[in-house]
Amino acid sequence: MFAAKKRFSGLLFMLAIIMVLAACSSGTGSTATEQTSAAGTESTTASSETNTDTSSGSDNSNATRIYKSLSGDVEIPAEPKRIVTDMYVSDLLALGVKPVGAVQYYLENPFYADQVAGIESIGDRAAVSMEKVIALNPDLIITYSDQASEIESYQKIAPTVVIPYGTFTNVHDEIRGFGELMNKSEAAEAWLKTYDERIEAARAKVKTVIKPEETFSILEVSDKSYYGYGDNFGRGGQAVYRALQLAPLEITKKELMGDTQWKEISREVVGDYAGDHIFLTVGENNKNYQGDSIWKSLPAVKNNQVYELLEDRYWYFDPIASQGQAEEFADMIVERAEQNRK
């Protein structure tokens, strides 16, 4: 009986040791879990993300983050899936993101026409259809609108980021800005690497036929006057002055390359705004523009250095369009130089 009791006591002692070891193991696991959780919280805070998903599964479709826009902090989806925008189609496509809806005018951009299949029109620039926007069930809206009533309507539908026209002054800042917004900075840098390579090739091509002192102007003809443009208002400005780095006139730099990017110019003084080369935007009604005696007296006209640009193609000013326009302008300049040498 003593021997049995002794064996029983031994069993109790071994059981006690096992229980202590188990408790220690459990405590260690709990500590590791708490450390991992703390690290995860720190990481989330650093990236301005908040997980609002209360389900027990691993689906993070409801995760959000705070985007610091010019108009204030906006809580947006961490990974938006259904984006509606008015004009920023190019910026999203450059990052490999296809919006579900956009303004019709920007869907007609010829420089990315092969990439817009499946994107729904939400109306034109002057009258966006809120009904169409609602029907698309967006989880993020990106707009350039400065109309308070329109912005309020958007905000009632989905989180809305307002990026006013002219916020970005060059392609690099714009693509990187959208890379930050979409949490796709690596995709932004990859696109810019290709962009830089293509633009450098276009610049090299132009340098073979253009001297550094030769000047370039961007004009548009209307029924009664002309319009002059700077480096951030379409009509090829970004491509001519920023991408290709062609020289503007001093008056262009002074009057059209600051906050003011365009100006109406009377026919009598158009010579003051006419460089050695002129990119002239025209419509279907004034193609092959002949002009009056003042126009015909301009050196660029006399030297066959006016390049007509159809408005439907060259009003666009987004990163993809600017890249394409720069390459097209380089080809135009080289081809015209070869023609003039004959």
Side-chain angles (χ1 to χ4, degrees):
M1 183 175 180
F2 179 78
K5 285 183 178 180
K6 189 173 182 180
R7 286 195 298 271
F8 182 72
S9 298
L11 290 172
L12 287 176
F13 180 72
M14 291 178 64
L15 180 60
I17 292 175
I18 292 171
M19 291 178 68
V20 170
L21 291 174
C24 291
S25 175
S26 176
T28 303
S30 175
T31 302
T33 301
E34 289 171 1
Q35 289 173 343
T36 302
S37 177
T41 301
E42 183 179 8
S43 175
T44 298
T45 302
S47 62
S48 300
E49 291 189 8
T50 304
N51 190 347
T52 60
D53 187 1
T54 58
S55 66
S56 59
S58 60
D59 180 14
N60 288 326
S61 60
N62 291 329
T64 63
R65 62 189 177 93
I66 301 301
Y67 175 72
K68 297 183 180 299
S69 74
L70 291 177
S71 57
D73 292 353
V74 184
E75 186 176 5
I76 66 173
E79 296 183 5
K81 304 296 184 184
R82 300 186 61 79
I83 302 171
V84 166
T85 185
D86 36 32
M87 68 177 275
Y88 293 113
V89 181
S90 172
D91 304 273
L92 296 174
L93 292 176
L95 299 178
V97 177
K98 179 176 283 191
V100 296
V103 163
Q104 181 62 34
Y105 175 77
Y106 298 103
L107 294 179
E108 295 173 355
N109 187 322
F111 291 97
Y112 52 72
D114 59 338
Q115 301 181 57
V116 300
I119 305 177
E120 296 290 332
S121 170
I122 60 172
D124 59 36
R125 289 180 292 175
V128 170
S129 169
M130 290 299 165
E131 290 78 11
K132 289 184 178 179
V133 175
I134 293 171
L136 289 171
N137 190 30
D139 56 7
L140 178 64
I141 297 172
I142 307 172
T143 179
Y144 75 101
S145 178
D146 58 359
Q147 301 299 313
S149 59
E150 187 172 52
I151 294 171
E152 289 174 4
S153 295
Y154 283 145
Q155 290 171 333
K156 292 177 181 178
I157 300 170
T160 300
V161 172
V162 180
I163 302 177
Y165 176 85
T167 295
F168 302 106
T169 59
N170 61 69
V171 168
H172 288 79
D173 286 350
E174 185 163 344
I175 291 295
R176 285 177 176 141
F178 272 86
E180 179 183 354
L181 170 59
M182 300 306 301
N183 201 21
K184 289 184 174 291
S185 293
E186 288 187 6
E189 294 304 322
W191 190 89
L192 286 172
K193 182 177 183 295
T194 300
Y195 170 84
D196 288 339
E197 291 170 353
R198 292 174 62 170
I199 294 304
E200 185 56 41
R203 285 179 192 160
K205 185 181 296 186
V206 169
K207 287 178 181 178
T208 63
V209 297
I210 296 297
K211 298 175 182 177
E213 64 271 19
E214 293 184 66
T215 57
F216 286 75
S217 297
I218 299 173
L219 302 175
E220 185 173 57
V221 60
S222 68
D223 292 339
K224 297 180 179 180
S225 62
Y226 300 96
Y227 289 86
Y229 294 94
D231 56 354
N232 199 32
F233 204 80
R235 278 73 172 181
Q238 290 90 335
V240 171
Y241 297 126
R242 293 182 178 274
L244 296 178
Q245 299 179 346
L246 297 171
L249 292 166
E250 286 300 319
I251 195 170
T252 300
K253 289 194 288 187
K254 180 180 179 180
E255 296 185 6
L256 300 172
M257 288 191 173
D259 293 336
T260 300
Q261 285 282 326
W262 66 275
K263 176 182 180 178
E264 184 173 11
I265 301 168
S266 69
R267 292 183 183 273
E268 291 74 21
V269 298
V270 67
D272 295 341
Y273 297 84
D276 299 313
H277 301 257
I278 298 173
F279 284 100
L280 181 69
T281 301
V282 299
E284 288 293 336
N285 63 330
N286 52 20
K287 288 194 301 184
N288 302 314
Y289 181 68
Q290 299 300 311
D292 56 18
S293 58
I294 296 176
W295 177 259
K296 292 175 180 177
S297 70
L298 299 178
V301 177
K302 290 182 176 180
N303 296 328
N304 191 30
Q305 291 177 165
V306 176
Y307 315 88
E308 284 199 357
L309 310 177
L310 282 175
E311 58 189 15
D312 289 344
R313 189 171 185 85
Y314 295 99
W315 273 358
Y316 294 98
F317 48 84
D318 57 272
I320 294 177
S322 294
Q323 175 179 263
Q325 289 168 3
E327 292 174 327
E328 291 182 359
F329 294 163
D331 290 339
M332 288 181 192
I333 293 169
V334 171
E335 182 180 350
R336 187 64 58 84
E338 292 174 349
Q339 290 176 357
N340 291 341
R341 280 199 295 263
K342 294 179 180 178

